[in-house]
Amino acid sequence: MAFLNVSATLPEKGRDLRLDLFRGVANWAIFLDHIPDNVVNWITTRNYGFSDAADLFVFISGYTASFVYARMMLERGFIVGATRLTKRVWQLYVAHIILFVIYIASISYLALRFGDSEMINEFNVAGLVDNATETLRQGLFLRFKPLNLDVLPLYIVLMGLFPPVLWFMLRKPDLTMALSIVLWLAARQFGWNLTAYPAGQWYFNPYCWQVLFVFGAWCAMGGARRSMTLINSPITLWLCLGYMLFALIMTMAGRFPTFGGMFPEWLFSAFNPNDKTNLAPYRFLHFVVIVILVIRFVPKDWPGLEWKVFDPLIVCGQQSLAVFCVGVFLSFVGHFELSMSSGSLFAQLFVSIAGIAIMTTVAYYISWSKKQDKPLKPPPAKPAAEAKAA
């Protein structure tokens, strides 16, 4: 019965502010990256390496899911842990449907209001004109997704299938990680993916992107801790820095054709265009390198996590689901605003800063609102001597 023994190392109790900080970074970056022709999105990581905010979002989601539900599954049983995970999946699904309805209603209204028929095609909602009933039904099954609404369906699927994965991860973490890698590579080799409506496949292939989610869970379940000797090795540091530099060069080669023309075609074409749908190995490796560097240089008790300058990002990370949904909708608003205006540098700055300000305001409001729902703590009882004196 050794298989039933838990061999994973559970993370320490207490909030890890690194997760909130980087989840806030991911939400801000996803918002900026979804606004095309916007100079501000040059500050996001997708321009300087193979991976981007989507990789970070999925990794942290897997890490957090293990962090939250593993202990519950051990202390209260698999059924309780699985039902709590299912409850979270339902919350994600409801959030996606609400965002889906608001999103397509806004696109349809603005397209009619301004007579911009191309907007319907640009945001992949043309099916609503030709066959609205079937298109909406497929949307409920997560097969129909307007432009930029791909991340939440992926998150829903990964969380929905996570209970048995977490059960296995608690007992055989390294084997679970290995099987996840095998599934990812097999899906790439044999072209496995989920079908989309009305045609095509999922933009984020769940068979491939699950490896980032499971990698996050593996790190949370002691994988990172068991690898500290390798992570702290000087050789590892130099290899990581070298790969980061190589990723920067290849990414810039794809951004600037003149610079890209300086490299052999076989080398350039191996990394451009960046295979995001099936999570190219060089992309996954790039993210693993980032994780290694963060673990090495940003420990859980890093004093900088308490700096006030990071508070907006941390609060946005703590209220991640609401901030993500608001950010996706605001990216559509920002895209529309720039397309209808001059698209000047001032307009790009205004749209970007205003969007982040709104997302941050929503996060602070929700954080404040949740505190109001908690009962007030009674004042401490006075000592008997003070009570008699009064």
Side-chain angles (χ1 to χ4, degrees):
M1 298 295 288
F3 178 74
L4 296 178
N5 295 330
V6 173
S7 59
T9 304
L10 269 64
E12 298 176 1
K13 291 185 177 180
R15 192 151 199 143
D16 190 339
L17 290 180
R18 293 177 302 177
L19 299 177
D20 297 326
L21 174 64
F22 288 113
R23 192 157 44 187
V25 169
N27 278 323
W28 284 16
I30 289 172
F31 161 71
L32 293 173
D33 287 341
H34 283 173
I35 304 176
D37 302 318
N38 177 22
V39 68
V40 182
N41 63 30
W42 270 96
I43 68 173
T44 65
T45 56
R46 71 170 183 177
N47 301 289
Y48 307 102
F50 299 135
S51 61
D52 61 23
D55 308 62
L56 179 59
F57 183 87
V58 173
F59 170 82
I60 293 180
S61 298
Y63 193 108
T64 306
S66 298
F67 188 88
V68 173
Y69 297 104
R71 198 177 303 275
M72 182 185 299
M73 191 172 284
L74 286 177
E75 294 174 352
R76 303 171 64 183
F78 173 78
I79 298 299
V80 173
T83 55
R84 296 306 88 191
L85 271 165
T86 304
K87 178 182 178 182
R88 181 57 175 170
V89 172
W90 175 249
Q91 293 172 341
L92 294 170
Y93 180 76
V94 170
H96 171 71
I97 295 303
I98 293 174
L99 177 61
F100 173 79
V101 172
I102 295 174
Y103 200 75
I104 60 176
S106 302
I107 293 171
S108 301
Y109 170 76
L110 291 174
L112 291 173
R113 174 71 175 79
F114 293 93
D116 187 356
S117 59
E118 284 302 314
M119 182 185 298
I120 293 178
N121 294 319
E122 182 179 1
F123 285 90
N124 192 33
V125 295
L128 292 170
V129 177
D130 303 326
N131 192 351
T133 302
E134 181 62 17
T135 300
L136 291 174
R137 189 179 76 87
Q138 294 294 338
L140 294 176
F141 289 112
L142 306 180
R143 294 187 64 220
F144 168 70
K145 296 179 289 293
L147 183 70
N148 297 334
L149 259 63
D150 300 281
V151 176
L152 265 184
L154 172 69
Y155 189 14
I156 292 168
V157 169
L158 296 180
M159 283 288 284
L161 297 175
F162 192 54
V165 175
L166 181 57
W167 185 92
F168 201 70
M169 175 72 73
L170 285 167
R171 289 150 179 84
K172 298 287 182 179
D174 294 339
L175 179 58
T176 306
M177 187 69 250
L179 291 174
S180 174
I181 293 173
V182 169
L183 176 59
W184 162 51
L185 296 176
R188 286 184 53 83
Q189 177 65 31
F190 299 109
W192 299 341
N193 197 347
L194 299 182
T195 58
Y197 180 86
Q201 297 178 316
W202 279 39
Y203 181 71
F204 291 103
N205 184 347
Y207 293 110
C208 295
W209 279 77
Q210 54 77 28
V211 75
L212 272 173
F213 193 88
V214 176
F215 178 56
W218 179 81
C219 287
M221 294 292 98
R225 193 174 304 176
R226 293 191 300 273
S227 306
M228 287 307 297
T229 301
L230 177 63
I231 290 173
N232 290 324
S233 167
I235 296 177
T236 301
L237 175 60
W238 286 110
L239 288 175
C240 288
L241 293 176
Y243 190 73
M244 291 289 286
L245 178 60
F246 173 74
L248 171 63
I249 293 172
M250 286 295 99
T251 302
M252 286 297 170
R255 293 284 187 274
F256 301 100
T258 303
F259 181 59
M262 298 171 59
F263 297 92
E265 176 60 25
W266 63 267
L267 178 62
F268 177 85
S269 60
F271 302 98
N272 292 286
N274 189 328
D275 183 6
K276 188 171 185 176
T277 293
N278 296 310
L279 194 68
Y282 56 80
R283 185 184 181 103
F284 178 61
L285 179 59
H286 183 260
F287 187 79
V288 171
V289 166
I290 292 175
V291 171
I292 290 173
L293 294 176
V294 169
I295 292 174
R296 181 167 181 148
F297 294 109
V298 188
K300 184 179 179 180
D301 57 354
W302 181 51
L305 295 170
E306 303 291 339
W307 295 348
K308 290 297 182 182
V309 69
F310 290 138
D311 279 356
L313 281 166
I314 289 174
V315 175
C316 284
Q318 291 170 345
Q319 311 303 332
S320 179
L321 179 58
V323 171
F324 174 83
C325 293
V326 170
V328 170
F329 178 73
L330 289 176
S331 67
F332 158 69
V333 175
H335 183 181
F336 176 76
E337 175 63 27
L338 292 180
S339 65
M340 296 299 292
S341 67
S342 62
S344 64
L345 177 60
F346 174 80
Q348 296 171 44
L349 291 170
F350 175 79
V351 164
S352 302
I353 294 172
I356 289 176
I358 293 172
M359 293 163 65
T360 304
T361 301
V362 168
Y364 272 103
Y365 170 76
I366 295 176
S367 181
W368 173 85
S369 181
K370 287 181 177 179
K371 291 178 182 177
Q372 308 316 306
D373 292 335
K374 297 179 180 179
L376 292 174
K377 293 182 179 179
K382 295 182 179 179
E386 291 185 14
K388 289 182 178 179

